[in-house]
Amino acid sequence: MALDEHLQTIRHSCAHVMAQAVLKLFPGTKIAIGPAIDNGFYYDFEFTGDKKISEADFADVEKEMRKILAGNHDFIRKEVSKAEALEIFKDQSYKVELINELPDNETITTYTQDTFTDLCRGPHVANTKEINQQSFKLMKIAGAYWKGDINRTMLTRVYAVCFAKPNDLKDYLTMLEEADKRDHRKIGTQLDLFHIDDEDPGQIFWHPNGWSMYVTLQDYMRQKVLADGYMEVNTPTVMPRTLWERSGHWGHYQKNMFVTESEKRLFAIKPMNCPGALEIFNTRTRSYKDLPMRLAEFGHCARNEPSGSLHGIMRVRGFVQDDAHIICTEEQIGAEVTKFCALLKDVYKDFGFDKNLLVKFSTRPEDHVGSEEDWDRAEAALADACHNAGLEYEIQPGEGAFYGPKLEFTLIDALGRQWQCGTIQADFQLPSAERLNAQYIGKDNEKHHPVMLHRAVLGSLERFMGILIENYAGAMPAWLHFEQAAVVPVSPDFNDYAEKVADELKSVGIRVKAYTDDDNMKSKIKYISSEHRTPYILVVGEKEKSENAVCVRFRYSSGLPQKTMSLAEFKEYILDKVNSHFNGI
């Protein structure tokens, strides 16, 4: 058994122990399901008594769990008939429902440790002694509808983390503590980057500091894609229902679309940009010589995400993607995917994400359009191209888009967390005669349908900005930071020189501010360092004024001591850092 599989078995077994402890402390509780998940497990309960669990009870539950584990109880597997299972769980309505849904010929198994028996396929560890008593911790409580149905009972979900060794748990909790400090929502408030109004959930109000970085990020990507052979376009935000019906989105995605009406016609705010690209392609007769056609769009999209799933700027309803659609022949797929992978790796390197890039290959889902033959060809072409690009991938069965398979690129941040950002998807469906009927004239002088490759490097700019804020703890690289330099005079006598320095830096495009207010120098430096996290603080006094110089304090001076430079020398230095997209100060 692989290590990860064994760890998941430990976690699932620990979930059973937690359920036993909860039943002991909260008699009459109804138990639902308790699977292993990333980093731990959860269990869903319905508390029917007067007392309901709260996080204040976690210590007592953990204490009871350790008593159970100390008993060295075997996990005993038993096969039972449906009738036996119904009798065993007659007082547990959720288990009864699950049992009744099982096919008559399916093997039903239970697992028992100590006095607790649960309906479960397994597997489990052999004995509770395999679960370290210091390697788990209850974390939080959340609400969860039974089977995810809002019309069913709201259950209480108790989350826990669990690892094989105590040190693994300690490391994970340390990471969570650091992640809390880096929470982009907290830093967004500290640095005055953005806010989200409670009355307008999922929509971001960008403040000047945040918008400066957002525009810089977008301009950076614009330069990258234009240099890589893309043409930028822009398509309407609101498009008619008829287009979405032809594209297939109305039938497969309508519940996530914001719909509006005008002159007795239905329109939708676009949740994605792809139909617009083909509308542009279809405006004139195209030749095979025009392909591949790479159309980039920073298109604003809106998706009606459930309010409970929204999270700062990471998960929103209104967002912009660094989107592009490559319209090409089937034979060009490999070269275009390889070219895209090179672009993606180059961009990620500029942000310091050039190590441990993970690639996942998502294949045909049950809810899909198009023939299996088309899907087979699309999957084969994408897989071959990925290998040709020198990348290995992990298969995600059934996780493709409804119109085609996709490669998903996951980067790893400073805390070791994984973020899926980039994607490229091979689509034989949208350009087909059954959909938007895109055509080109081939070498044989006949009409053919092209393939559309949907791709993004960053994905949602909003989400990527949130990732960057947390990765850098708000101390963004100088080329991206909203304030690249701050000029601080040692006294008001040197305000004029501070303004002169700032003006010279502004003249070459540096985002800089001269702090000439009445606060003393130390207070200004403390404020700039903590509240703005500015990469370079330029202190100026009599010596600097007489020599046309600046005393540079670097953001993390423990690694780079302060240094006096001539203004011309510093100007050259900071321009080099900004223009090279150097991943650092």
Side-chain angles (χ1 to χ4, degrees):
M1 182 180 291
L3 177 60
D4 285 351
E5 292 176 345
H6 182 59
L7 181 54
Q8 291 301 84
T9 300
I10 290 174
R11 288 168 173 163
H12 184 46
S13 301
C14 200
H16 280 223
V17 174
M18 182 176 74
Q20 180 183 351
V22 168
L23 285 177
K24 173 75 178 294
L25 298 173
F26 299 86
T29 297
K30 304 295 184 184
I31 57 175
I33 58 172
I37 57 174
D38 287 347
N39 302 313
F41 58 87
Y42 68 78
Y43 213 111
D44 289 344
F45 303 99
E46 182 185 359
F47 292 90
T48 58
D50 294 335
K51 185 181 179 186
K52 303 208 172 11
I53 195 170
S54 71
E55 293 186 6
D57 299 307
F58 281 0
D60 290 337
V61 176
E62 290 173 352
K63 182 179 179 180
E64 185 64 28
M65 290 173 67
R66 293 188 176 98
K67 285 172 59 178
I68 296 167
L69 295 175
N72 291 344
H73 304 292
D74 290 335
F75 279 84
I76 302 170
R77 180 182 183 274
K78 184 179 179 181
E79 294 185 7
V80 298
S81 67
K82 180 176 274 191
E84 289 174 314
L86 289 171
E87 176 61 25
I88 293 169
F89 297 102
K90 62 184 179 182
D91 296 326
Q92 291 290 345
S93 56
Y94 297 104
K95 300 295 184 182
V96 168
E97 182 176 334
L98 293 174
I99 294 165
N100 283 326
E101 290 173 348
L102 295 173
D104 291 336
N105 60 350
E106 181 161 334
T107 300
I108 300 175
T109 57
T110 64
Y111 279 83
T112 301
Q113 87 273 356
D114 192 19
T115 60
F116 177 74
T117 298
D118 205 348
L119 178 73
C120 188
R121 290 192 180 94
H124 286 279
V125 296
N127 187 282
T128 56
K129 66 184 178 183
E130 294 184 43
I131 305 171
N132 191 293
Q133 295 181 35
Q134 305 302 322
S135 294
F136 68 89
K137 181 177 178 60
L138 275 58
M139 298 298 291
K140 64 178 181 178
I141 292 173
Y145 290 108
W146 173 234
K147 295 184 176 178
D149 185 345
I150 61 173
N151 298 311
R152 303 295 299 272
T153 304
M154 171 71 81
L155 303 176
T156 299
R157 178 168 292 177
V158 180
Y159 283 97
V161 291
C162 180
F163 294 88
K165 300 175 182 178
N167 281 344
D168 293 338
L169 174 63
K170 182 180 178 181
D171 290 344
Y172 180 74
L173 295 177
T174 300
M175 185 277 289
L176 288 184
E177 184 179 349
E178 181 62 27
D180 183 64
K181 295 177 185 176
R182 293 169 178 251
D183 189 318
H184 72 279
R185 295 166 297 181
K186 293 181 178 180
I187 293 176
T189 299
Q190 292 168 3
L191 302 188
D192 194 21
L193 304 180
F194 60 83
H195 83 274
I196 298 175
D197 195 309
D198 290 340
E199 294 187 1
D200 194 10
Q203 304 288 348
I204 305 169
F205 292 79
W206 288 102
H207 299 189
N209 292 346
W211 189 243
S212 170
M213 296 196 299
Y214 188 97
V215 170
T216 301
L217 179 65
Q218 188 177 63
D219 287 345
Y220 162 82
M221 281 308 304
R222 177 172 283 115
Q223 293 170 15
K224 285 289 187 181
V225 298
L226 293 179
D228 206 44
Y230 290 81
M231 298 178 289
E232 187 174 349
V233 299
N234 189 265
T235 61
T237 300
V238 178
M239 292 190 278
R241 170 180 175 170
T242 51
L243 176 62
W244 299 113
E245 286 178 331
R246 287 190 291 127
S247 71
H249 290 89
W250 194 264
H252 293 266
Y253 206 77
Q254 193 268 327
K255 66 179 181 180
N256 294 104
M257 298 167 73
F258 288 100
V259 179
T260 186
E261 183 179 351
S262 176
E263 297 179 339
K264 299 183 179 180
R265 293 179 62 203
L266 286 179
F267 296 80
I269 302 174
K270 64 180 177 183
M272 50 198 69
N273 301 301
C274 34
L278 281 182
E279 288 287 273
I280 291 174
F281 183 86
N282 286 341
T283 56
R284 62 184 62 199
T285 302
R286 306 290 181 179
S287 162
Y288 71 93
K289 296 178 182 179
D290 297 321
L291 304 182
M293 180 178 289
R294 307 182 190 98
L295 301 179
E297 178 176 12
F298 295 97
H300 191 281
C301 299
R303 296 179 184 175
N304 191 13
E305 303 283 2
S307 58
S309 70
L310 302 176
H311 178 69
I313 64 175
M314 298 282 208
R315 185 77 179 266
V316 291
R317 288 176 172 170
F319 59 94
V320 173
Q321 291 180 302
D322 68 316
D323 215 352
H325 297 89
I326 303 168
I327 304 168
C328 63
T329 67
E330 190 170 343
E331 294 73 24
Q332 292 170 331
I333 292 176
E336 288 304 307
V337 173
T338 301
K339 182 178 176 65
F340 167 75
C341 290
L343 171 66
L344 178 138
K345 288 190 283 188
D346 183 48
V347 169
Y348 286 1
K349 183 178 180 180
D350 279 347
F351 293 102
F353 298 129
D354 53 332
K355 298 177 182 177
N356 302 320
L357 181 64
L358 305 177
V359 185
K360 296 182 180 179
F361 184 16
S362 299
T363 58
R364 178 171 63 239
E366 289 187 15
D367 180 22
H368 67 273
V369 295
S371 68
E372 292 189 4
E373 291 78 11
D374 281 350
W375 272 84
D376 289 342
R377 294 197 339 268
E379 289 179 357
L382 204 57
D384 289 345
C386 188
H387 286 307
N388 291 337
L391 295 170
E392 297 297 325
Y393 56 77
E394 171 191 335
I395 293 286
Q396 294 190 122
E399 294 295 319
F402 73 84
Y403 48 78
K406 58 185 176 180
L407 294 174
E408 296 178 323
F409 300 84
T410 299
L411 52 83
I412 300 175
D413 72 6
L415 298 183
R417 297 175 298 177
Q418 297 183 9
W419 303 96
Q420 190 275 307
C421 295
T423 182
I424 187 164
Q425 307 163 4
D427 183 1
F428 283 63
Q429 308 308 321
L430 204 59
S432 69
E434 294 76 20
R435 294 296 170 189
L436 298 187
N437 196 28
Q439 297 179 341
Y440 69 93
I441 306 300
K443 292 181 180 179
D444 57 4
N445 211 34
E446 297 292 331
K447 292 182 178 180
H448 301 271
H449 295 291
V451 175
M452 174 179 268
L453 301 179
H454 309 247
R455 106 302 167 271
V457 177
L458 307 182
S460 158
L461 298 187
E462 287 75 7
R463 179 171 177 267
F464 196 79
M465 184 64 74
I467 293 170
L468 292 179
I469 290 169
E470 296 197 359
N471 182 68
Y472 292 111
M476 310 296 252
W479 69 268
L480 184 60
H481 206 75
F482 62 86
E483 183 176 87
Q484 296 166 324
V487 188
V488 179
V490 297
S491 73
D493 294 339
F494 304 102
N495 283 353
D496 288 345
Y497 181 64
E499 293 284 5
K500 175 192 172 185
V501 169
D503 287 343
E504 283 208 32
L505 293 173
K506 287 176 185 176
S507 71
V508 292
I510 300 302
R511 295 186 288 276
V512 58
K513 177 181 176 181
Y515 285 78
T516 56
D517 52 86
D518 294 336
D519 288 343
N520 62 53
M521 181 186 73
K522 288 186 178 180
S523 296
K524 292 175 184 178
I525 290 175
K526 182 179 179 181
Y527 171 81
I528 295 164
S529 299
S530 61
E531 299 300 319
H532 280 191
R533 304 178 198 186
T534 304
Y536 306 102
I537 299 177
L538 313 180
V539 179
V540 295
E542 181 63 46
K543 182 175 185 293
E544 288 76 25
K545 181 178 180 180
S546 64
E547 297 177 0
N548 199 33
V550 291
C551 181
V552 185
R553 294 194 178 193
F554 298 89
R555 182 159 52 198
Y556 298 119
S557 57
S558 59
L560 288 171
Q562 66 182 37
K563 180 180 180 182
T564 298
M565 298 182 182
S566 70
L567 182 54
E569 183 184 4
F570 176 74
K571 192 186 305 182
E572 182 180 354
Y573 174 86
I574 192 172
L575 284 173
D576 177 64
K577 296 299 184 189
V578 170
N579 293 334
S580 65
H581 300 116
F582 174 68
N583 176 42
I585 294 179

